[in-house]
mmCIF file of all heavy atoms in Angstrom:
data_model
loop_
_atom_site.group_PDB
_atom_site.id
_atom_site.type_symbol
_atom_site.label_atom_id
_atom_site.label_comp_id
_atom_site.label_asym_id
_atom_site.label_seq_id
_atom_site.Cartn_x
_atom_site.Cartn_y
_atom_site.Cartn_z
ATOM 1 N N ALA F 25 -19.232 11.193 19.212
ATOM 2 C CA ALA F 25 -19.061 11.556 20.592
ATOM 3 C C ALA F 25 -20.451 11.643 21.174
ATOM 4 O O ALA F 25 -21.498 11.945 20.515
ATOM 5 C CB ALA F 25 -18.484 13.032 20.618
ATOM 6 N N SER F 26 -20.609 11.165 22.414
ATOM 7 C CA SER F 26 -21.836 11.266 23.075
ATOM 8 C C SER F 26 -21.602 11.584 24.501
ATOM 9 O O SER F 26 -20.540 11.441 25.070
ATOM 10 C CB SER F 26 -22.654 10.022 22.916
ATOM 11 O OG SER F 26 -21.898 8.922 23.570
ATOM 12 N N VAL F 27 -22.756 12.154 25.170
ATOM 13 C CA VAL F 27 -22.633 12.394 26.608
ATOM 14 C C VAL F 27 -23.763 11.659 27.328
ATOM 15 O O VAL F 27 -24.822 11.304 26.679
ATOM 16 C CB VAL F 27 -22.711 13.857 27.023
ATOM 17 C CG1 VAL F 27 -21.474 14.603 26.527
ATOM 18 C CG2 VAL F 27 -23.959 14.477 26.384
ATOM 19 N N ASN F 28 -23.613 11.291 28.599
ATOM 20 C CA ASN F 28 -24.656 10.502 29.297
ATOM 21 C C ASN F 28 -25.885 11.464 29.687
ATOM 22 O O ASN F 28 -26.886 11.097 29.916
ATOM 23 C CB ASN F 28 -24.173 9.801 30.472
ATOM 24 C CG ASN F 28 -23.572 10.815 31.521
ATOM 25 O OD1 ASN F 28 -23.207 11.841 31.234
ATOM 26 N ND2 ASN F 28 -23.492 10.284 32.780
ATOM 27 N N ARG F 29 -25.537 12.813 29.777
ATOM 28 C CA ARG F 29 -26.658 13.747 29.997
ATOM 29 C C ARG F 29 -26.224 15.111 29.524
ATOM 30 O O ARG F 29 -25.017 15.488 29.478
ATOM 31 C CB ARG F 29 -27.034 13.773 31.504
ATOM 32 C CG ARG F 29 -25.745 13.884 32.372
ATOM 33 C CD ARG F 29 -26.215 14.274 33.777
ATOM 34 N NE ARG F 29 -25.397 13.515 34.740
ATOM 35 C CZ ARG F 29 -25.675 13.600 35.994
ATOM 36 N NH1 ARG F 29 -26.750 14.370 36.486
ATOM 37 N NH2 ARG F 29 -24.898 13.115 36.979
ATOM 38 N N THR F 30 -27.288 15.867 29.134
ATOM 39 C CA THR F 30 -27.074 17.306 28.607
ATOM 40 C C THR F 30 -27.296 18.223 29.704
ATOM 41 O O THR F 30 -26.934 19.396 29.421
ATOM 42 C CB THR F 30 -27.804 17.541 27.411
ATOM 43 O OG1 THR F 30 -29.209 17.272 27.700
ATOM 44 C CG2 THR F 30 -27.393 16.706 26.199
ATOM 45 N N GLU F 31 -27.839 17.926 30.720
ATOM 46 C CA GLU F 31 -28.086 18.891 31.827
ATOM 47 C C GLU F 31 -27.448 18.263 33.060
ATOM 48 O O GLU F 31 -27.667 17.135 33.431
ATOM 49 C CB GLU F 31 -29.648 19.084 31.999
ATOM 50 C CG GLU F 31 -29.937 20.281 32.875
ATOM 51 C CD GLU F 31 -31.389 20.515 32.963
ATOM 52 O OE1 GLU F 31 -32.102 20.455 31.980
ATOM 53 O OE2 GLU F 31 -31.881 20.722 34.090
ATOM 54 N N VAL F 32 -26.660 19.189 33.711
ATOM 55 C CA VAL F 32 -25.867 18.503 34.750
ATOM 56 C C VAL F 32 -25.710 19.604 35.848
ATOM 57 O O VAL F 32 -25.775 20.788 35.554
ATOM 58 C CB VAL F 32 -24.455 18.186 34.199
ATOM 59 C CG1 VAL F 32 -23.735 19.314 33.648
ATOM 60 C CG2 VAL F 32 -23.604 17.489 35.230
ATOM 61 N N GLY F 33 -25.782 19.104 37.035
ATOM 62 C CA GLY F 33 -25.555 20.042 38.195
ATOM 63 C C GLY F 33 -24.105 20.455 38.395
ATOM 64 O O GLY F 33 -23.248 19.656 37.958
ATOM 65 N N LEU F 34 -23.880 21.578 38.959
ATOM 66 C CA LEU F 34 -22.440 21.979 39.186
ATOM 67 C C LEU F 34 -21.885 20.976 40.074
ATOM 68 O O LEU F 34 -22.444 20.519 41.116
ATOM 69 C CB LEU F 34 -22.537 23.375 39.818
ATOM 70 C CG LEU F 34 -21.216 24.174 39.954
ATOM 71 C CD1 LEU F 34 -20.659 24.320 38.463
ATOM 72 C CD2 LEU F 34 -21.357 25.397 40.655
ATOM 73 N N GLY F 35 -20.718 20.510 39.775
ATOM 74 C CA GLY F 35 -20.000 19.506 40.558
ATOM 75 C C GLY F 35 -20.326 18.155 40.262
ATOM 76 O O GLY F 35 -19.681 17.148 40.808
ATOM 77 N N GLU F 36 -21.271 17.986 39.344
ATOM 78 C CA GLU F 36 -21.589 16.582 38.942
ATOM 79 C C GLU F 36 -20.821 16.230 37.705
ATOM 80 O O GLU F 36 -20.522 17.003 36.875
ATOM 81 C CB GLU F 36 -23.107 16.411 38.706
ATOM 82 C CG GLU F 36 -23.974 16.345 39.906
ATOM 83 C CD GLU F 36 -25.336 16.056 39.607
ATOM 84 O OE1 GLU F 36 -25.904 16.771 38.649
ATOM 85 O OE2 GLU F 36 -25.968 15.196 40.152
ATOM 86 N N PRO F 37 -20.483 14.916 37.569
ATOM 87 C CA PRO F 37 -19.782 14.479 36.384
ATOM 88 C C PRO F 37 -20.622 14.387 35.089
ATOM 89 O O PRO F 37 -21.800 13.949 35.142
ATOM 90 C CB PRO F 37 -19.119 13.210 36.692
ATOM 91 C CG PRO F 37 -20.091 12.667 37.742
ATOM 92 C CD PRO F 37 -20.813 13.772 38.406
ATOM 93 N N VAL F 38 -19.966 14.687 33.987
ATOM 94 C CA VAL F 38 -20.670 14.290 32.684
ATOM 95 C C VAL F 38 -19.662 13.370 32.093
ATOM 96 O O VAL F 38 -18.567 13.584 32.016
ATOM 97 C CB VAL F 38 -20.701 15.626 31.770
ATOM 98 C CG1 VAL F 38 -21.385 15.209 30.438
ATOM 99 C CG2 VAL F 38 -21.455 16.707 32.346
#
Side-chain angles (χ1 to χ4, degrees):
Chain F
S26 62
V27 292
N28 64 336
R29 48 170 142 182
T30 53
E31 194 175 312
V32 62
L34 192 62
E36 283 187 312
V38 181

